[in-house]
């Protein structure tokens, strides 16, 4: 699929993220029982912590991945996509495990981790259309041309009046 330019900015607050992660927990609670959670670093770690609390899961593992070339600049939306690199994987096929990430965009990360852990239940908070078919459970769909800004990537800053923008 040809890459889609990001035209819209979608800032997410801590409160909104927490609410969505709890909504995801409700859905997953109905689908359990679960043996544990595998968080896809780094974006999957905060959702994993919230799921673990709500589902009373103590077994949390990580699959450690880098995908975007951080050399372009520090703004994710402007970053150049690089090859996916698995720094650390998980033993087994993922059976009984929730595999969690913050979002699925092109589906490149999802495809890679699904190939490694084919029996895991892959869940995300946000999904864009290109990656949506690879996700078993997600909460909120956003358009392909939207860049989601997570609370851990943002700081409080002055916003100029709309008339001045
Ligand atoms: O569907 P894709 O196009 O593969 O994009 C989705 C992935 O991109 C982001 O991670 P990123 O690689 O930016 O790293 P991070 O989680 O460490 O921030 C996000 O957390 C997903 O893991
Ligand atoms: N923060 C963030 N990272 C991404 N990686 C791929 N798509 C996105 C996105 O929309 N937001
Ligand atoms: Mg990620």
């Amino acid at each position: 699929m040809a890459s889609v330019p990001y035209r819209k900015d979608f800032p997410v607050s801590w409160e909104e993220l927490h609410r969505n992660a709890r909504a995801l927990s409700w859905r997953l609670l109905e689908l359990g029982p679960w043996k544990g959670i595998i968080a896809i670093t780094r974006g999957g770690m905060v959702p994993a912590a919230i799921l673990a609390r709500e589902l009373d899961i103590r077994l949390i593992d990580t699959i450690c991945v880098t995908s975007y070339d951080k050399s372009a600049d520090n703004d994710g939306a402007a970053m150049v996509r690089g090859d996916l690199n698995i720094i650390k994987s998980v033993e087994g096929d993922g059976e009984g495990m929730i595999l969690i990430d913050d979002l699925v965009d092109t589906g490149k990360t999802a495809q890679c981790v699904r190939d490694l852990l084919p029996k895991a239940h892959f869940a995300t908070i946000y999904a864009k259309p290109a990656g949506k078919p690879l996700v078993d459970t997600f909460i909120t769909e956003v358009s392909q041309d939207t860049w989601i800004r997570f609370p851990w990537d943002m700081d409080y800053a002055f916003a100029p009046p709309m008339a001045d923008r």
Side-chain angles (χ1 to χ4, degrees):
M1 189 188 146
S3 66
V4 177
Y6 297 109
R7 293 201 178 85
K8 299 170 205 149
D9 223 37
F10 184 61
V12 176
S13 68
W14 282 112
E15 201 174 350
E16 193 176 345
L17 193 276
H18 194 189
R19 185 179 296 271
N20 276 317
R22 290 177 82 164
L24 182 60
S25 303
W26 272 117
R27 302 268 299 278
L28 294 172
L29 187 63
E30 289 163 6
L31 299 171
W34 302 105
K35 289 182 193 159
I37 296 172
I38 301 166
I40 302 168
T41 66
R42 296 162 303 179
M45 291 195 296
V46 172
I50 298 167
L51 258 54
R53 192 267 177 183
E54 298 303 336
L55 304 178
D56 196 23
I57 291 172
R58 308 285 162 149
L59 179 65
I60 304 166
D61 206 341
T62 53
I63 181 159
C64 305
V65 179
T66 57
S67 68
Y68 285 75
D69 179 0
K70 310 294 182 201
S71 63
D73 65 26
N74 264 337
D75 181 0
M79 281 176 193
V80 178
R81 291 185 57 83
D83 285 337
L84 218 69
N85 184 23
I86 305 284
I87 301 168
K88 174 202 163 289
S89 192
V90 173
E91 277 181 25
D93 58 11
E95 189 170 12
M97 303 291 283
I98 299 167
L99 180 61
I100 178 79
D101 208 349
D102 51 0
L103 70 95
V104 65
D105 186 326
T106 64
K108 187 176 167 183
T109 307
Q111 189 63 65
C112 176
V113 295
R114 290 214 76 142
D115 289 347
L116 289 169
L117 299 164
K119 292 200 175 157
H121 185 98
F122 185 49
T124 62
I125 311 269
Y126 298 96
K128 301 186 193 179
K132 196 172 76 162
L134 292 160
V135 188
D136 295 310
T137 306
F138 69 91
I139 295 299
T140 303
E141 180 165 356
V142 300
S143 62
Q144 200 66 43
D145 62 353
T146 295
W147 186 262
I148 301 166
R149 297 205 182 262
F150 288 104
W152 50 84
D153 284 332
M154 292 188 294
D155 202 355
Y156 287 111
F158 173 75
M162 289 177 189
D164 296 347
R165 283 182 219 168

